[in-house]
Amino acid sequence: MTPVSSKLYADDVSLLMVLIDTNPYFWSSMNNNTSFTFSKFLSHVLAFLNSILLLNQMNQVVVIASGYNSCDYVFDSSTSSMQRAECLLEKLEDFVDKDESLSREESVDGVGFSLLSGSLSMALCYIQRVFRSGPLHPQPRILCLHGSPDGPGQYVAVMNSIFSAQRSMVPIDSCAIGSQHSAFLQQASYITGGVYLKPQVSDGLFQYLSTVFATDLHSRGFLQLPRPVGVDFRASCFCHKNTIDMGYICSVCLSIFCKHHKKCSTCGSNFGEARKQDPSASDQRR
Amino acid sequence: MADGGKVVKRAKYKSSVKVPGVPGVLKMTRERFYFMPNDPTLTTKLNVEFKLIKGHKFSKEGSSKQALLNLTQDQGGNYLFEFDSFPDRDQCRDFVASAIAACGEVGKATSEKPAVPHDEQLSATEMGRRIKLLQENSELQKLHRQLVIGGTLSEAEFWAARKKLLEQTENKKPKQRVALKNDMWSVKPLSDGQTNRVTFNLTPEVIHQIFAEKPAVRQAYLNFVPGKMSEKEFWTKYSRAEYLHSTKNIVAAFAEASEDEELAVFLKQDAMLASEARKKIRRVDPTLDMEADEGDDYMHLPDHGLPQVETKEILEPQYEPFKRSFSQYLNQHAAVVLRGRVIDVELGDTRSVAEAFTRTNQAELANDVSDENAYRERINKVTRVAEIEDLQGPRDPPVALLSIKDPRDYFDSQQANAMKALGDAETGIRQLKFSVSKEEAFCSLKDSISEINSQGLIEPIISPEVALKVFNGLSQNISSTKYHLGKNPHESVLDQLPSATKNELLLHWTSIQELLKHFWSSYPITTKYFYTKVTRLKDAMSQIYPKLQEMKESVQSDMRHQVSLLVQPMLQALDAAFAHYDADVQKRSAKSGERPNGFV
């Protein structure tokens, strides 16, 4: 990193962590179904990154690729050797090669999932390093450009990342470029105070990016950005996936059920002994 | 011609000071006064209650002046009497004063009776307080006007729920109980210097203090007086003992005590106090390390740094019981003062004071006996605190390891929810039917990268038409989210309604809350009174109900949704009350055969 001590970071200097989805299966499906290809996506994103760097001389952009098997930093504007877009593309190609070599299965059912949890963690680690670099640092934020469906296996890891981002006051902006909404990113943005957006017109991605996500955190206070209608915080039960207002909670793992069970299906805890004396002893009502 | 109950005097009734007046007889009783003119044909008979009399004035005594008494009436009129002599007038005046005072007290007593929920008679101050509250709080005034003047609630009911408000405005001070005097009764004998007489002043207050601080003296008093010696002898002896102490001549004290065994009682150390002190020490928290506190002592001086008043000479053991330490006395005095007045006896009677003290002491002793259990508890505590860790086995809390089989469960429940919230359940559920081999997928990705590497960015990145479309979409989206009201705590739905509707809503809301409060507090219905009250409240609420509906329909269509959202909880609350009322009525009618006197 360049020496920061001489720099005077104003409140509108940003550190933008961009997570791009490089799940090959997702992009193949996009190739087949829509006219929005990875190269189009890349050119929109590169233009956007350039405009971010032009907005303020001290703005910093870091790009992390979330692949199918791994994730890695592919661009860092503060590193002098990687100043140009060609470097990004070069690094990206290397990354895809590596990602392919790590892959064991010959084909994947559906489009698979990209490693969102891993790239989110890397972004947060980078931000933590910037926080520790000194009292003056750019205002960090994370932008997820994500298209693959949410991976159920990553749920806990992603939620943990979201909460740690919330703790360090890093907003997670998210732009769902695929055909479906992402519950992960919607929650991430809601919890961390970022913006969640699903573009209606894929070809206008650059316009969406520059209109909604280009502004720094300070200026956001003055803008009316698209806000979610609100997240339904009601839980759905683990047994029937129904949204419920009131139900039973496992006192051990906090799984939610709409009916009383003898045993928790998630963690295997036995209910029932205390129930003879007091119906609400072992599993409390919400 | 006067006794305790009434006064009869010759007097003239005058309409003003100047006129000669009507001669007659003035008769006063506790409740009222009568005036009978000497000439029975005159119509100036009077029969007035003292309740109506507010005050009285009288002329100053002097040779040239008339002896006048002027009784002022509540409504402004007054009665002027001229007496034959000043003593006559003074007697009447004193009687009038006490009669007026008595009437006033009776009036106050009736108004301060606990508020039976009927229209009680209010004192003027109470009324004033309520009026002041209403004036200060316009919302309360509105509610008061609607409910009380509208006849739904009685005045008393309305205020019964607001006793706190009333009490806050009241700044009455509670009557203070006088504590014990804090100064120590150090016996400063008054000697006149010439003769050898030494005088002690003993007041009932001082005796009270002595009894409280020195149980041995109290015991001695109960034993000796009046059988062995008179009260005076007793106190003389006590004073002598105190004098001996004040001279600090222990040897002399010992000599005197060996001659007079009664005197010895006062001179020896108080055995009762000593045993009490031992008991107290036993009651100290066992975990308190008194040894450790010694370091905090004032400069490690003995007697806690108090100036040494005692002679340092070494005493023979026989004198030991006659030694007294100042700090002991100080501690005992402090304990007594802090305990405050434990007995409730007139101080005049020395014997009853002494007996009362003994009684309270015995009560305390009885408590101590029941403290057996507390002692055992203390022992337990000691063993618990002074536990030797090395000898204890490992004491891990019983832990069940959390094993979550599949985090997918968490995800699925969240996912279903989020998709529902976003309103595209179809796309969320729909699985993309798609299959591609690994090589194919990665190759196409790499192709895309090399494509952009060779061709550069697309020129132009975005066509103006698409950009315009995006702009329109975004601004529409943003402006539409503005109408998702109620999600943002900073903007309230109420503020967007016309002010008339807003005020009406607020008023309805407060009055419904008030009515519901009274309604629910009347349950369970135990008396006829509650029954009528509940019926009354229910009728009032059912009148509000159609008004709410009406208001919902009267507002403009774009506001109607918001208003109905606001009105909904009110209607629900009312519905719940009505349902409860109906259920209760049914229950009562079913039960009424068995229990005719209205108990639920």
Side-chain angles (χ1 to χ4, degrees):
Chain A
M1 274 202 269
T2 46
V4 288
S5 53
S6 57
K7 288 185 189 174
L8 266 178
Y9 285 109
D11 48 13
D12 60 347
V13 180
S14 314
L15 162 61
L16 181 64
M17 311 291 302
V18 184
L19 316 184
I20 54 173
D21 193 348
T22 61
N23 176 8
Y25 305 104
F26 163 71
W27 285 113
S28 306
S29 80
M30 287 295 273
N31 270 343
N32 293 358
N33 299 326
T34 60
S35 63
F36 193 65
T37 59
F38 188 60
S39 56
K40 267 191 189 167
F41 167 76
L42 270 185
S43 69
H44 283 255
V45 170
L46 286 176
F48 169 68
L49 296 183
N50 281 330
S51 48
I52 289 284
L53 291 174
L54 286 171
L55 264 177
N56 191 313
Q57 213 178 352
M58 283 185 286
N59 272 357
Q60 192 185 335
V61 171
V62 176
V63 181
I64 299 172
S66 17
Y68 183 73
N69 298 300
S70 63
C71 36
D72 201 2
Y73 299 102
V74 288
F75 179 70
D76 186 342
S77 68
S78 67
T79 319
S80 45
S81 62
M82 294 179 21
Q83 284 290 5
R84 293 175 55 79
E86 287 81 2
C87 308
L88 190 153
L89 293 173
E90 209 173 292
K91 281 273 243 180
L92 194 59
E93 258 184 315
D94 293 347
F95 168 75
V96 173
D97 280 336
K98 207 176 85 194
D99 200 29
E100 187 179 5
S101 66
L102 285 170
S103 192
R104 293 207 191 89
E105 315 115 330
E106 271 310 301
S107 76
V108 177
D109 201 25
V111 292
F113 316 108
S114 63
L115 266 178
L116 176 65
S117 57
S119 52
L120 263 179
S121 308
M122 288 179 87
L124 286 166
C125 288
Y126 191 96
I127 288 169
Q128 286 301 323
R129 195 177 60 160
V130 170
F131 278 154
R132 283 160 172 72
S133 67
L136 289 170
H137 51 73
Q139 299 295 313
R141 65 180 195 267
I142 299 173
L143 170 62
C144 292
L145 301 172
H146 200 76
S148 311
D150 295 333
Q154 300 175 39
Y155 176 73
V156 175
V158 169
M159 287 315 280
N160 283 339
S161 306
I162 292 172
F163 291 133
S164 74
Q166 182 194 24
R167 240 182 94 89
S168 37
M169 313 250 272
V170 176
I172 301 178
D173 298 325
S174 38
C175 185
I177 46 180
S179 56
Q180 15 181 339
H181 277 288
S182 162
F184 280 171
L185 294 179
Q186 197 208 357
Q187 288 214 24
S189 299
Y190 189 85
I191 292 171
T192 57
V195 182
Y196 174 82
L197 184 77
K198 185 180 181 302
Q200 304 300 313
V201 190
S202 307
D203 289 330
L205 180 67
F206 173 75
Q207 193 59 59
Y208 283 109
L209 291 176
S210 54
T211 314
V212 179
F213 299 107
T215 41
D216 58 272
L217 295 182
H218 182 70
S219 313
R220 276 186 195 193
F222 315 112
L223 295 176
Q224 183 110 44
L225 293 171
R227 290 278 157 201
V229 184
V231 176
D232 189 0
F233 279 114
R234 283 183 305 168
S236 36
C237 64
F238 281 31
C239 38
H240 305 87
K241 311 275 179 259
N242 294 328
T243 309
I244 49 173
D245 289 320
M246 195 182 274
Y248 295 88
I249 298 184
C250 171
S251 49
V252 178
C253 70
L254 303 181
S255 303
I256 298 157
F257 305 100
C258 59
K259 283 190 284 190
H260 178 258
H261 290 257
K262 286 219 172 76
K263 199 175 172 193
C264 175
S265 63
T266 311
C267 68
S269 308
N270 272 316
F271 307 141
E273 283 110 67
R275 198 176 150 74
K276 273 159 204 149
Q277 293 105 37
D278 181 6
S280 60
S282 78
D283 42 354
Q284 332 145 342
R285 283 182 155 263
R286 243 174 43 123
Chain B
M1 278 172 68
D3 55 40
K6 64 181 182 184
V7 180
V8 182
K9 288 279 179 250
R10 208 175 283 275
K12 281 184 201 160
Y13 175 64
K14 303 170 121 185
S15 51
S16 79
V17 185
K18 294 276 149 56
V19 297
V22 186
V25 174
L26 178 67
K27 191 173 138 195
M28 293 177 170
T29 66
R30 282 272 158 214
E31 286 84 31
R32 47 182 67 238
F33 66 88
Y34 312 92
F35 180 77
M36 293 291 286
N38 290 345
D39 185 350
T41 55
L42 287 176
T43 53
T44 46
K45 282 183 199 169
L46 290 175
N47 181 356
V48 182
E49 281 185 73
F50 272 122
K51 222 187 271 175
L52 301 174
I53 298 300
K54 211 168 57 189
H56 62 281
K57 294 179 219 157
F58 51 89
S59 58
K60 267 195 199 127
E61 208 163 326
S63 53
S64 60
K65 283 182 186 159
Q66 302 162 305
L68 291 174
L69 179 65
N70 189 353
L71 303 176
T72 23
Q73 211 187 347
D74 233 355
Q75 280 85 24
N78 55 2
Y79 305 98
L80 192 61
F81 298 102
E82 190 194 335
F83 293 87
D84 293 347
S85 66
F86 280 103
D88 273 3
R89 201 276 318 270
D90 289 347
Q91 205 179 345
C92 276
R93 182 196 62 194
D94 295 345
F95 188 84
V96 165
S98 67
I100 291 175
C103 281
E105 264 167 38
V106 170
K108 231 183 265 168
T110 51
S111 72
E112 273 174 14
K113 261 182 197 163
V116 192
H118 296 290
D119 284 348
E120 83 265 65
Q121 274 205 326
L122 289 168
S123 64
T125 51
E126 175 74 10
M127 206 63 217
R129 243 185 282 146
R130 289 180 182 182
I131 290 168
K132 194 164 162 242
L133 259 181
L134 285 179
Q135 279 168 349
E136 279 168 1
N137 191 339
S138 66
E139 241 173 72
L140 199 65
Q141 197 181 3
K142 236 187 256 173
L143 207 60
H144 183 264
R145 198 186 307 145
Q146 192 190 344
L147 296 179
V148 178
I149 300 174
T152 312
L153 288 171
S154 76
E155 179 86 14
E157 282 166 354
F158 185 79
W159 287 110
R162 292 188 170 67
K163 282 230 172 75
K164 268 231 177 87
L165 269 180
L166 286 173
E167 274 161 20
Q168 275 170 1
T169 58
E170 192 176 11
N171 49 0
K172 253 193 192 168
K173 277 178 202 152
K175 224 176 158 191
Q176 197 176 4
R177 276 181 72 204
V178 187
L180 282 174
K181 263 205 264 177
N182 196 18
D183 56 341
M184 290 164 74
W185 185 67
S186 56
V187 196
K188 279 272 150 44
L190 305 164
S191 55
D192 50 10
Q194 279 156 18
T195 59
N196 267 342
R197 271 230 334 244
V198 176
T199 323
F200 286 90
N201 260 332
L202 284 175
T203 63
E205 181 71 26
V206 171
I207 288 174
H208 175 242
Q209 202 175 342
I210 291 171
F211 279 167
E213 287 181 23
K214 298 174 181 169
V217 176
R218 188 180 69 223
Q219 198 54 47
Y221 179 87
L222 287 175
N223 288 345
F224 298 155
V225 180
K228 225 170 177 177
M229 55 179 94
S230 77
E231 176 146 1
K232 194 160 180 230
E233 280 170 356
F234 177 83
W235 288 117
T236 316
K237 216 153 243 188
Y238 173 74
S239 307
R240 175 151 185 76
E242 281 300 316
Y243 176 70
L244 281 171
H245 271 302
S246 68
T247 59
K248 303 203 169 56
N249 191 343
I250 292 173
V251 183
F254 176 71
E256 290 246 6
S258 49
E259 280 167 28
D260 188 341
E261 67 175 281
E262 277 109 44
L263 195 62
V265 172
F266 299 133
L267 288 174
K268 273 187 185 166
Q269 271 177 5
D270 199 324
M272 284 169 86
L273 268 188
S275 76
E276 210 170 287
R278 272 198 297 278
K279 222 178 282 163
K280 273 182 191 159
I281 285 177
R282 239 178 286 141
R283 234 180 291 158
V284 170
D285 189 336
T287 57
L288 181 72
D289 190 350
M290 299 204 9
E291 295 258 313
D293 278 353
E294 221 147 78
D296 301 337
D297 210 344
Y298 296 97
M299 295 167 281
H300 306 281
L301 286 176
D303 260 352
H304 304 274
L306 287 171
Q308 281 286 0
V309 280
E310 269 129 88
T311 42
K312 272 280 175 191
E313 53 193 305
I314 297 154
L315 293 165
E316 288 167 49
Q318 59 195 19
Y319 299 136
E320 194 61 27
F322 298 93
K323 212 175 84 181
R324 246 192 229 183
S325 108
F326 178 63
S327 61
Q328 256 174 20
Y329 179 41
L330 185 68
N331 276 339
Q332 173 67 9
H333 173 75
V336 167
V337 169
L338 286 178
R339 210 191 311 156
R341 277 181 202 279
V342 285
I343 56 158
D344 203 10
V345 182
E346 282 282 320
L347 291 183
D349 186 3
T350 315
R351 189 165 185 89
S352 66
V353 169
E355 275 167 354
F357 267 119
T358 315
R359 268 200 302 279
T360 48
N361 242 32
Q362 272 162 358
E364 273 168 30
L365 278 180
N367 283 345
D368 282 355
V369 174
S370 68
D371 270 1
E372 234 358 79
N373 284 337
Y375 173 72
R376 209 161 295 140
E377 225 165 76
R378 274 201 302 283
I379 296 290
N380 277 342
K381 199 168 174 188
V382 171
T383 50
R384 228 180 17 251
V385 169
E387 192 175 274
I388 300 167
E389 281 173 17
D390 298 354
L391 300 182
Q392 304 301 318
R395 216 193 289 165
D396 289 326
V399 179
L401 284 175
L402 175 64
S403 63
I404 292 176
K405 292 175 204 149
D406 192 0
R408 238 167 258 256
D409 275 349
Y410 286 103
F411 169 78
D412 286 349
S413 69
Q414 286 292 334
Q415 183 83 350
N417 233 358
M419 289 307 153
K420 243 175 261 170
L422 289 169
D424 63 348
E426 323 86 50
T427 46
I429 290 159
R430 191 187 69 202
Q431 272 293 328
L432 285 168
K433 284 271 170 265
F434 176 76
S435 185
V436 71
S437 73
K438 181 179 91 175
E439 279 82 23
E440 225 178 299
F442 278 100
C443 274
S444 78
L445 198 64
K446 273 184 274 190
D447 283 348
S448 301
I449 297 169
S450 51
E451 184 190 337
I452 196 168
N453 218 352
S454 57
Q455 292 177 6
L457 301 185
I458 313 162
E459 194 71 44
I461 293 173
I462 189 162
S463 68
E465 293 79 27
V466 176
L468 181 67
K469 212 169 145 195
V470 169
F471 267 131
N472 284 338
L474 274 177
S475 54
Q476 207 176 19
N477 179 16
I478 288 166
S479 57
S480 73
T481 46
K482 255 178 115 176
Y483 288 108
H484 287 281
L485 294 163
K487 310 282 195 232
N488 188 347
H490 299 299
E491 47 190 49
S492 134
V493 183
L494 268 179
D495 292 336
Q496 309 215 333
L497 298 174
S499 67
T501 320
K502 179 184 165 187
N503 288 340
E504 205 181 340
L505 263 176
L506 285 176
L507 179 64
H508 277 312
W509 188 229
T510 46
S511 58
I512 285 172
Q513 271 182 325
E514 177 74 18
L515 288 171
L516 283 174
K517 195 163 72 183
H518 283 282
F519 178 84
W520 290 112
S521 67
S522 309
Y523 280 96
I525 294 172
T526 45
T527 59
K528 189 90 187 151
Y529 167 74
F530 280 129
Y531 184 73
T532 50
K533 184 180 172 187
V534 161
T535 320
R536 205 152 25 98
L537 289 168
K538 188 225 150 201
D539 290 343
M541 286 193 288
S542 43
Q543 278 168 16
I544 292 180
Y545 206 91
K547 273 191 216 159
L548 289 176
Q549 296 282 9
E550 210 176 281
M551 194 168 73
K552 214 161 69 173
E553 279 149 26
S554 68
V555 291
Q556 286 171 350
S557 56
D558 55 334
M559 294 290 177
R560 193 169 297 163
H561 178 65
Q562 264 100 52
V563 171
S564 70
L565 277 181
L566 288 171
V567 167
Q568 197 57 34
M570 307 189 202
L571 294 179
Q572 277 171 356
L574 288 177
D575 283 337
F578 291 151
H580 187 84
Y581 177 82
D582 290 339
D584 194 64
V585 163
Q586 266 185 8
K587 215 164 75 186
R588 289 163 66 83
S589 62
K591 271 194 180 173
S592 59
E594 303 154 33
R595 287 185 189 178
N597 46 357
F599 280 90
V600 178

